Every structure is written in C-alpha cells, then in structure tokens.
Amino acid sequence: MLELFGTKGCPYTKDLRESLLWDGEEFVEYDVEEDREALRRLIALTGGTTVPVLAEDERVIQIGYLGRGCNVARPSSTEDASL
C-alpha cells in the first residue's frame, strides 16, 4: 500500500494527493504535523523533514512533487527526544 506523508498546509502535498486520486491509486495519508509517529517514520525513511513523501513497503518512491516540497520543523529535544 502506498503511504503519503505530508501536511495540510503544504500545497505540494495537496497536488500529489490529487494526482494519486486522479490516477485511482490507493494510499494511506499521514499528516506529520499532527501525528508524531508519522513524523518519526518520515525522518527514519528520508533522514529529513521535506514533504510530501510517497513510500511503499518502507521504501521511498518520491520526495516532493515536481521538484518542490515543504519543510516541516523538527521537534525540539524537549518535545520528543526520540526524533
């Protein structure tokens, strides 16, 4: 199953979501600003905090959309020491 990591405020996440829907792709979407576990997985998969990210079977397929992306702030060490 495809996984889309993004944020509500990122226009490129919106564009990639719309492209996947248009193509009839099935996917699960995670908002990394609201879901700490999804943010942890995003960082583990990519080493960074750029969204959108499209992954399948723990393998990154795409970072960004058409060469563009949004950066998500990493939590401070006091917020979440595991990230």
Side-chain angles (χ1 to χ4, degrees):
M1 170 73 69
L2 291 173
E3 296 179 292
L4 173 60
F5 295 85
T7 67
K8 290 179 186 169
C10 176
Y12 312 113
T13 297
K14 177 181 179 267
D15 292 344
L16 181 52
R17 178 188 318 109
E18 289 176 359
S19 176
L20 292 168
L21 291 169
W22 179 262
D23 292 342
E25 296 284 353
E26 290 188 29
F27 63 96
V28 176
E29 185 172 355
Y30 303 101
D31 186 329
V32 300
E33 290 181 324
E34 295 183 7
D35 183 339
R36 285 288 202 221
E37 177 61 19
L39 178 58
R40 185 194 65 73
R41 288 188 57 223
L42 170 73
I43 294 170
L45 283 169
T46 68
T49 57
T50 299
V51 294
V53 169
L54 190 61
E56 184 173 32
D57 298 325
E58 297 299 316
R59 183 177 55 89
V60 174
I61 296 171
Q62 178 177 333
I63 298 174
Y65 184 71
L66 299 177
R68 297 183 177 178
C70 299
N71 286 315
V72 178
R74 286 182 183 259
S76 70
S77 59
T78 57
E79 289 178 309
D80 191 342
S82 68
L83 296 173

